[in-house]
Amino acid sequence: MMGMTWYFIGLVLGLSLYVLFKLRIRYGLEWLPLTLCGSGIGLILFAAAWGVAAMLEGVPRAASMGLLLFGLPGIVLTTYGARLIANAANLSSEGSDA
Amino acid sequence: MSKDNEKDTKANETPSANDAGKSRRNFLKFGLVGAGAAAVVATGAVAVKRMQGIPHDEFPVELNDDFKPIDQRNQINVFCGSKALNEKHPERTRSFNEMLKKEDPANYKPFDFYATRRAFMSGPYRDAPGYGQLDRALAVGGFSSARQQLGGGSMEAPNSGVSSWEQTMLVDHKYEFESPAQANTDIKSAARLYGAIRCGITKRDKRWDYDPMYSVSEEKELSWEKDFPFEPKSVIVIMTEMDYPAMATAPAWIQDATVGDAYANAIKIAGQITIFLRQLGFKAVASMNDLGINAPYAIAAGLGEGGRNGQVIVPEYGPRVRISKVYTDLEFVEYDKPRTYGVASFCLNCKRCADSCPSKAITFGDQTWGPEYSTDPDYIWNASKGILKFHNDAKKCAKFWIDNDGSCGNCIAACPYNKPDFWHHRLVDAQNVIAPGPVHAFMREMDIFFGYGNVSDPDKVHRFWKLGDKV
């Protein structure tokens, strides 16, 4: 079960890095939105792996605490980074319209 | 120069100044990223190295001139099991009863080490999770194999069953190991095959041997010089694991089952290693809790570090292990070095075992040279002196076992080092070995916050009895 978790986490991580790389090229993103999104996605995946491991060992409370302490800041960081990327995308589209 | 020309010159200069600024910023940025990456790698390397333990040339616990080998007659389980010793030392029972009366006069009941010990694990079933007929049957079944292997004797009995001193199956021809290092690896390879989770080899050290030894069944002292069949040179220390979900039910009777089961595995492996050595032409004797004290031998063999609860804290397992030993006259072997893993520092700040101890036998204080719970010689008869460690009151611990009609295990279940083998626990272990003391206190709180180490939890009993679905 843990092996499958690592496999899917690897897939999601690879896909996320690919998407961030593409966005950087397309909108010429600065380091801040990339760092925020990257850290956020990292934390979310860490929380997911923590949660699965804690459930497998039979400590559901550790799973929920892990999701809360690592997953929530991950969501906040990813959301903020995504908003910065959206702003950059809007500016870029406005520039091309002009 | 015309104004137009001046403008052109400035226009030409400005981008180059910007480029230089950008280049400096990029340099700084890359420098910072590089420094950060180097710091992470260096910290990781330090953590990995410390998790493998820092090797020491000497025994990593301080001793002074007051230290003496322990007389096995003063070992608490031996004393509790021996009618002759109880009759010889009535002052010990009297002194313990005085303490009980003083500490809790309202609930005081006279206590007799020997009489209550005889009734151990045979009292009535209770109407509480983990204390029913099913749980008792599991515990007695768990212990049955160890008892059979030891010829019906206790874990402390010398020269009994598999740990017999008779050198059966000893061959005349002595096998020549390639090198001391190869001898070390060969013995450990055999131990791994037989089922050991850890194995270490150390020099025989008289400081850790019981002297004299004592046979409760015969009610007589045994001497290393007169009775033991050879002069041991080396001690092979073997560890087996206790089941995490079973230990988590502590102090319910289910945890007794895994204690007994791990004892059975430990003595089985020690017996097999004994025959393995005799077939190589070396004299050997298997030992469970007899002959010598397991904890210092395990520490000397580099397998772990002494914890507040008096047990050996083993990386990845914590105190959730049982230890057996093999004494042998094989000398041509490389000895493992004792190692420290940051446990002493963690234990100073944690105290979860002391919090969870139902009999308050575990000290909340720092390491001392002797017991601080009493100065009465009739009370501290079983305590060691002249060794800087956490001194706990084994008599209170034994009393709870008897009151509980099983053993306890709370200090094992509550220990933050006691975790199953999952990646996130290894990550926390890595963090703990590099973090300073105040962080350890924080990690203890996090351990509680995340729901680990609760004791007397009926849910864990129910969960244990559902695990059969997975087999």
Side-chain angles (χ1 to χ4, degrees), chain B residues 39-354:
Chain B
V40 169
V41 170
T43 311
V46 170
V48 167
K49 201 170 177 200
R50 288 201 188 164
M51 280 177 81
Q52 290 166 346
I54 299 168
H56 299 266
D57 290 328
E58 299 295 326
F59 191 71
V61 179
E62 285 182 67
L63 302 171
N64 69 19
D65 294 341
D66 291 341
F67 184 82
K68 275 189 278 187
I70 301 278
D71 181 336
Q72 200 183 359
R73 290 171 298 188
N74 293 341
Q75 201 271 344
I76 187 73
N77 287 344
V78 170
F79 182 76
C80 285
S82 165
K83 192 178 181 189
L85 291 176
N86 274 264
E87 283 170 357
K88 190 178 173 190
H89 295 289
E91 75 285 357
R92 294 178 177 180
T93 304
R94 193 168 53 241
S95 171
F96 190 67
N97 276 289
E98 279 167 14
M99 181 282 299
L100 290 176
K101 206 185 287 182
K102 199 172 153 189
E103 280 198 349
D104 191 1
N107 294 311
Y108 169 72
K109 280 182 201 160
F111 180 80
D112 181 338
F113 286 109
Y114 180 67
T116 46
R117 188 76 185 171
R118 293 285 94 189
F120 187 65
M121 276 177 93
S122 56
Y125 310 129
R126 300 178 195 174
D127 188 21
Y131 290 94
Q133 186 172 3
L134 186 69
D135 312 292
R136 167 61 62 71
L138 187 77
V140 175
F143 260 99
S144 61
S145 175
R147 292 203 197 288
Q148 282 163 12
Q149 289 184 70
L150 290 169
S154 73
M155 306 303 128
E156 289 76 28
N159 195 11
S160 172
V162 172
S163 59
S164 165
W165 294 358
E166 202 180 322
Q167 296 299 298
T168 53
M169 299 173 80
L170 177 69
V171 299
D172 291 335
H173 179 258
K174 269 197 165 61
Y175 176 78
E176 287 180 18
F177 287 101
E178 249 174 56
S179 64
Q182 191 57 48
N184 180 299
T185 309
D186 288 344
I187 292 167
K188 287 181 180 175
S189 298
R192 187 204 65 80
L193 171 73
Y194 297 144
I197 57 153
R198 291 278 190 279
C199 179
I201 304 172
T202 186
K203 197 175 177 169
R204 186 258 179 133
D205 190 330
K206 287 184 179 178
R207 292 177 298 180
W208 318 133
D209 289 337
Y210 290 120
D211 197 6
M213 296 169 277
Y214 192 75
S215 167
V216 172
S217 59
E218 295 172 82
E219 295 284 17
K220 75 166 189 183
E221 293 167 34
L222 296 164
S223 148
W224 282 98
E225 290 74 27
K226 288 178 192 160
D227 301 303
F228 201 73
F230 58 92
E231 192 189 346
K233 303 288 183 191
S234 309
V235 175
I236 299 159
V237 185
I238 294 149
M239 283 181 171
T240 55
E241 181 185 10
M242 290 187 277
D243 183 54
Y244 180 80
M247 189 47 74
T249 66
W253 291 340
I254 295 167
Q255 62 77 33
D256 280 307
T258 190
V259 171
D261 185 55
Y263 267 134
N265 293 332
I267 194 62
K268 177 200 84 110
I269 299 164
Q272 288 169 319
I273 291 285
T274 301
I275 300 300
F276 169 71
L277 288 168
R278 287 182 196 162
Q279 285 288 298
L280 294 173
F282 301 99
K283 290 176 182 166
V285 166
S287 160
M288 196 62 248
N289 294 346
D290 56 313
L291 303 188
I293 313 172
N294 291 337
Y297 267 123
I299 294 167
L303 301 179
E305 210 178 329
R308 177 179 292 277
N309 58 7
Q311 291 159 338
V312 181
I313 309 292
V314 183
E316 295 180 35
Y317 296 94
R320 193 169 38 86
V321 294
R322 287 287 146 189
I323 305 169
S324 60
K325 313 175 287 299
V326 174
Y327 283 65
T328 175
D329 65 352
L330 168 67
E331 217 174 354
F332 188 70
V333 61
E334 188 176 276
Y335 294 129
D336 295 299
K337 284 189 172 183
R339 288 172 180 267
T340 48
Y341 302 86
V343 172
S345 158
F346 192 91
C347 285
L348 267 176
N349 293 286
C350 174
K351 305 180 186 181
R352 279 207 82 183
C353 55

Side-chain angles (χ1 to χ4, degrees), chain A residues 26-45:
Chain A
R26 188 164 175 184
Y27 301 120
L29 294 175
E30 287 291 314
W31 64 273
L32 183 63
L34 289 172
T35 309
L36 287 174
C37 265
S39 313
I41 291 166
L43 274 174
I44 290 168
L45 294 178

Side-chain angles (χ1 to χ4, degrees), chain A residues 2 50 53 57-58 61-62 65, chain B residues 420 422 424-425 449-450 452 463:
Chain A
M2 206 59 229
W50 184 288
E57 68 176 336
R61 185 168 153 184
M65 294 311 299
Chain B
F422 279 98
H424 54 317
H425 298 310
F449 198 49
F450 274 66
Y452 291 107
R463 201 174 295 148

